[in-house]
Amino acid sequence: MGNAETLDGLLGAVAAGDQSAFQRLYAATSAKLFGVIVRIVGRRDVAEEVLQDTYLAIWDHAGDFRTERGSPIAWMAAIGRNRALNRRRGERETVSLDDPDGAPMLADDAVAGADLDWAGAGADARRLHGCLESLEEGPRSCIVMALVEGYTHQELVKRLDCPLGTVKSWIRRGLSRLKDCLAV
Amino acid sequence: MNGDLDDREMLAAEYVLGTLAPADRARAEAERDRDPAFARLIDDWSAKLSPVAEAVGDVAPPPNAWTSIETALAGRLRSDAAGDTQPISVRPPLLQRLSFWRWSTAGALAVAACLALYIGGVQRLEPEPETRYVAVLNAGEARPAWVLTVDTRGRTLTIRPVADVAAPDKALELWMIRDADTPPRSLGLLDPTQPLALPIQAAVDDGRLQVAAFAVSLEPAGGSPTGLPTGPVLYQGDVYPIEE
């Protein structure tokens, strides 16, 4: 992306129907969104379909973006992430997106979220990171893996080898703590 | 410490987190559509959690992904314009008439992106005796991005950026299109920050430029690996003779 153009500026132009701005927005953001989506759906061909769906939704809803609600990239990624989650949930009924035996795809890192790179992230992301780090290990792992890999309760049960009740209560506790932490 | 979230907010938060079972997920979506207050809870949680994306590693999508999006969008805009009554055609008839597939059977979608280039372009090869030509390359209706001139006497082409055309980590490749039956020919990579002058021997015949249009595509760093455009066509423009 060029210096003269910001993502909010591009989103504004896209909201006004500017197709070339849309193309530049895509060029500037598609690798980030594809990274988010492919991590959740686990397959590149499926991710490509979700990516297309996501950018068409961005075209439709660019006018809904509000700077006070967060960064443009977080807003766009939220659209992609939600669509990836819907796709992952839908596909899972019939076909495993990960291992043939149905076990969730595991990241190589032992610690959930160890491969995330927060260094270049914006202020909202750094605050989220700080709050995630302040959680106890169980809730933190559940929430980070759900956020990044798109795991359901059941997948977290397998991944963490913990009872369903424990996973559910970790998530509830973690989300409650996160809300308090982010409100400060 | 405010204690635990109430059930409704927990449903919204877990919907955004994505951990709900499909039935609960559907229930949350129905509630979101029915109740604006619940929709706001979802928005709040989305704003809280979505910045995680900034920490997730980038993965470059396949080069033809943009073309699929552009084609789908064009189809939708066409069907909007037609009042939604006609089916969306991904392959316009003109594309078939110009025997276009000859040079790109693998990149069918990439070809569609170049279509606009041909529509105005192929007609414009009348034998005019001018020695200078100009093309303004832009993206759709937008302002000009590149201005290109050709001096047929000196057989040189000059192209300069007139807008911010930076494409970090990618290459901008210039193509000349002779006519609909000939594959685009690469003229090399452009520098988004400065003008470039190139010899253009082969495209000049009998004092006339045998090029209908020019295009700039977005390619992997180093340029197209195939010798044909693989990425989206970002800018394009027909060639016009200048009276002397």
Side-chain angles (χ1 to χ4, degrees):
Chain A
M1 200 190 67
N3 298 330
E5 268 183 327
T6 62
L7 293 182
D8 344 10
L10 284 173
L11 274 173
V14 169
D18 181 341
Q19 291 182 52
S20 86
F22 187 48
Q23 192 159 18
R24 295 197 296 281
L25 183 71
Y26 176 88
T29 57
S30 54
K32 173 59 71 190
L33 264 58
F34 196 65
V36 168
I37 291 167
V38 80
R39 191 84 181 250
I40 290 174
V41 302
R43 268 176 38 183
R44 287 179 65 92
D45 55 342
V46 176
E48 201 180 330
E49 291 172 20
V50 174
L51 187 75
Q52 172 174 339
D53 204 25
T54 298
Y55 275 93
L56 291 174
I58 289 168
W59 170 266
D60 286 338
H61 297 290
D64 298 342
F65 171 69
R66 299 285 175 273
T67 43
E68 63 272 19
R69 303 292 300 161
S71 74
I73 194 68
W75 180 80
M76 294 172 68
I79 294 175
R81 194 174 164 276
N82 195 44
R83 275 158 201 270
L85 288 170
N86 281 342
R87 186 61 185 258
R88 184 181 171 102
R89 301 292 171 260
E91 298 265 331
R92 194 151 289 282
E93 306 291 314
T94 49
V95 57
S96 170
L97 291 173
D98 300 324
D99 293 350
D101 67 359
M105 178 174 63
L106 305 186
D108 288 338
D109 47 303
V111 180
D115 67 324
L116 296 178
D117 177 11
W118 299 90
D124 289 344
R126 289 199 305 273
R127 232 149 58 92
L128 175 63
H129 182 216
C131 288
L132 285 169
E133 289 302 303
S134 75
L135 300 179
E136 299 156 67
E137 185 48 33
R140 193 193 68 83
S141 294
C142 285
I143 288 175
V144 168
M145 283 193 279
L147 274 175
V148 177
E149 317 285 353
Y151 288 172
T152 58
H153 291 143
Q154 290 298 343
E155 289 165 331
L156 289 166
V157 164
K158 278 193 212 163
R159 174 74 169 88
L160 299 169
D161 199 17
C162 286
L164 180 61
T166 305
V167 163
K168 283 186 170 177
S169 86
W170 274 346
I171 288 175
R172 295 175 81 86
R173 199 185 328 158
L175 288 170
S176 299
R177 298 285 181 278
L178 265 189
K179 184 184 182 188
D180 291 340
C181 176
L182 289 168
V184 173
Chain B
M1 181 70 56
N2 299 320
D4 285 353
L5 308 182
D6 67 31
D7 287 349
R8 264 168 74 77
E9 183 164 5
M10 191 58 77
L11 183 67
E14 280 213 63
Y15 171 75
V16 173
L17 186 61
T19 40
L20 296 176
D24 291 329
R25 197 164 167 79
R27 185 163 65 89
E29 288 184 343
E31 185 71 1
R32 176 194 61 191
D33 295 343
R34 193 188 62 77
D35 179 3
F38 188 74
R40 271 197 300 281
L41 281 176
I42 287 182
D43 284 351
D44 286 346
W45 275 96
S46 188
K48 286 179 172 61
L49 299 179
S50 301
V52 72
E54 295 183 43
V56 175
D58 289 4
V59 178
N64 62 348
W66 164 254
T67 318
S68 311
I69 291 166
E70 197 179 35
T71 306
L73 182 64
R76 261 174 33 172
L77 294 174
R78 257 201 315 281
S79 82
D80 287 352
D84 239 350
T85 50
Q86 60 190 46
I88 293 169
S89 165
V90 179
R91 218 209 281 189
L94 184 64
L95 199 58
Q96 294 149 34
R97 217 169 59 226
L98 304 170
S99 44
F100 203 78
W101 303 102
R102 242 182 266 167
W103 52 267
S104 179
T105 47
L109 284 169
V111 163
C114 305
L115 172 66
L117 204 69
Y118 280 80
I119 296 174
V122 287
Q123 316 291 336
R124 238 180 283 280
L125 289 171
E126 302 88 8
E128 301 276 343
E130 284 79 14
T131 58
R132 284 176 62 81
Y133 295 80
V134 65
V136 175
L137 276 50
N138 59 24
E141 302 300 313
R143 66 202 158 129
W146 303 87
V147 173
L148 182 154
T149 54
V150 175
D151 174 352
T152 52
R153 202 168 285 146
R155 301 199 167 193
T156 52
L157 175 156
T158 309
I159 181 167
R160 66 187 165 90
V162 292
D164 181 2
V165 290
D169 307 325
K170 299 276 187 179
L172 295 168
E173 192 157 359
L174 177 65
W175 305 87
M176 64 178 184
I177 292 110
R178 187 185 176 99
D179 58 50
D181 291 340
T182 314
R185 218 171 111 189
S186 175
L187 293 172
L189 303 184
L190 298 174
D191 182 339
T193 62
Q194 54 186 334
L196 179 72
L198 297 165
I200 186 167
Q201 299 284 352
V204 178
D205 184 21
D206 196 19
R208 291 191 294 276
L209 179 66
Q210 305 295 313
V211 175
F214 289 92
V216 176
S217 70
L218 186 67
E219 300 292 340
S224 165
T226 67
L228 288 172
T230 63
V233 171
L234 298 186
Y235 312 103
Q236 58 199 35
D238 296 337
V239 176
Y240 296 90
I242 300 173
E243 303 286 340
E244 278 197 337

